[in-house]
């Protein structure tokens, strides 16, 4: 199976490199209650692009990360975890200004009512500088993934644009997971401007309906029509635009005018966060195997179910046989909600 919407350079030695935040998730152990009543948490590596990279590595791809961690125990935990997962961390630098590690406390009130309380003042990940982005690493990579939160502040914002520039120069396919986290931004206008500037340069754009709505503050799509949203990006660099609708599945548009709908699989949901990251890892992995868009979406949707049925995001990222097995068990009717 092949897809023509994006083409990867098979001669490049590195499959995938991501840039952006490396953080800590502290997921409530006593679930199905509000945060006020939570006593203990389990610590995991977090941050959407980190989770996606861990997912890609678990699926068997050769991966690397470009980011910055705090000079503390949390920062060392993150780098150690990346190394353990086989992710090249040579472009993960250490902050020397006293910045801290971003923390995401997750509240799991019910399988459908989850929220995240973020502590992100003076975080190390947003201190990454353009000069710390190594051209040679991006030149080696088949794909670069960027994620929106890294655009929220300088100097991280410039670092992302530097990475985009290197990726363009060296022919890496660029994927953008919109990953919009409002608390990291100061104004809606600034958010939309930088998201749009970055998205113009990307080959694959993945986001929820709400994330695309945020970007369309600058445009005109009063009906919130997925097709209109996608068409805008085909006038720039995009070959694939995916709009996610939670449990209702996702829809992919390709530049040739086709659209592909993926339903979600049944899942015994523990919490909903992490769905988007595992979906992205599964979908991008499928594309890199040369699968068609629908097969890649199916794989991403099943990977998402495995993660939302687990307590963590990063640690729960599945290996390929687990995802295939999940799909087969769903098809046999062995997994029901
Ligand atoms: N309750 C669910 N049951 C089964 N599959 C789900 C469920 N929620 C999400 N998914 C799957 O995960 C994919 C991505 O989910 P979603 O649209 O919620 O992304 P997201 O909002 O980016 O996720 P996140 O909560 O991680 O930010 C969906 O297209 C679907 O395949
Ligand atoms: O993206 C974050 O900073 C938090 C994540 O690690 C968290 O697990 C999540 O929301 C995944 O989508």
């Amino acid at each position: 199976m092949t897809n023509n919407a994006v083409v990867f350079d098979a001669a490049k030695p590195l499959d995938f490199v991501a840039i952006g935040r490396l953080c800590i998730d502290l997921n409530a152990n006593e679930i199905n209650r509000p945060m006020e009543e939570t006593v203990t948490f389990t610590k995991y590596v977090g941050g959407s692009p980190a989770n996606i990279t861990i997912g890609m590595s678990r699926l068997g791809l050769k991966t690397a990360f470009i980011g910055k961690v705090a000079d503390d125990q949390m920062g060392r935990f993150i780098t150690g975890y990346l190394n353990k997962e086989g992710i090249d961390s040579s472009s993960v630098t250490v902050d020397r200004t006293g910045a801290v590690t971003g923390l995401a406390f997750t509240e799991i009130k019910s399988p459908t009512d989850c929220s995240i309380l973020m502590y992100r003042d003076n975080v190390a990940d947003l201190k990454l500088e353009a000069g710390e982005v190594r051209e040679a690493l991006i030149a080696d990579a088949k794909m670069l993934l960027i994620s929106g939160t890294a655009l929220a502040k300088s100097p991280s914002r410039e670092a992302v644009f530097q990475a985009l520039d290197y990726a363009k120069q060296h022919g890496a396919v660029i994927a953008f997971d919109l990953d919009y986290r409002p608390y990291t931004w100061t104004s809606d206008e600034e958010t939309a401007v930088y998201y749009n500037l970055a998205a113009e340069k990307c080959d694959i754009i993945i986001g929820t309906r709400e994330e695309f709505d945020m970007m369309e503050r600058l445009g005109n799509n009063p009906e919130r029509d997925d097709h209109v949203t996608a068409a805008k990006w085909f006038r720039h660099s995009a070959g694939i635009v995916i709009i996610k609708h939670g449990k209702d599945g996702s829809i992919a548009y390709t530049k040739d005018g086709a659209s592909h709908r993926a339903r979600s699989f049944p899942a015994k949901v523990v919490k909903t966060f992490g769905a988007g990251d595992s979906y992205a890892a599964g979908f991008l992995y499928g594309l890199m195997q040369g699968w068609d868009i629908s097969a890649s979406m199916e794989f991403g949707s099943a990977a998402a179910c495995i993660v939302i049925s687990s307590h963590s995001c990063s640690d729960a990222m599945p290996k390929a046989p687990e995802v295939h097995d999940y799909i087969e068990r769903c098809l046999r009717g062995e997994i029901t909600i």
Side-chain angles (χ1 to χ4, degrees), residues 21 23 25 45-48 51 104 106 116 118 179 181 273-275 277 313:
R21 76 189 184 289
C23 300
D25 282 354
V45 168
S48 173
N51 293 339
T106 59
I116 298 184
M118 288 227 167
D179 175 37
R181 308 281 180 172
F273 49 86
D277 299 341
C313 296

Side-chain angles (χ1 to χ4, degrees), residues 317-334:
M317 287 290 174
K319 296 189 170 167
E322 292 173 67
V323 186
H324 290 300
D325 181 60
Y326 196 91
I327 295 171
E328 280 160 25
R329 285 195 292 139
C330 286
L331 295 178
R332 290 198 299 267
E334 289 170 16

Side-chain angles (χ1 to χ4, degrees), residues 208 244-247 249-250 264-265 272-276 279 301 304-305 308:
T208 62
K244 298 177 290 180
H245 292 275
K247 198 180 175 189
S250 53
S264 67
F265 288 104
T272 51
F273 49 86
Y279 176 94
S301 307
C305 286
I308 61 180

Side-chain angles (χ1 to χ4, degrees), residues 200-261:
E200 285 175 8
K201 299 175 188 295
C202 297
D203 303 293
I204 303 168
I205 307 173
I206 306 176
T208 62
R209 182 63 259 167
E210 295 71 27
E211 288 172 330
F212 282 105
D213 289 346
M214 169 279 292
M215 292 167 76
E216 284 173 354
R217 285 176 62 84
L218 301 182
N220 193 12
N221 184 7
E223 306 296 327
R224 304 173 70 226
D225 183 309
D226 286 351
H227 188 265
V228 172
T229 295
K232 168 179 172 178
W233 299 110
F234 298 137
R235 293 192 288 276
H236 296 280
S237 302
I240 303 173
V241 176
I242 296 201
I243 304 175
K244 298 177 290 180
H245 292 275
K247 198 180 175 189
D248 295 331
S250 53
I251 178 153
Y253 294 91
T254 47
K255 197 172 184 164
D256 60 7
S259 62
H260 312 257
R261 230 170 238 289

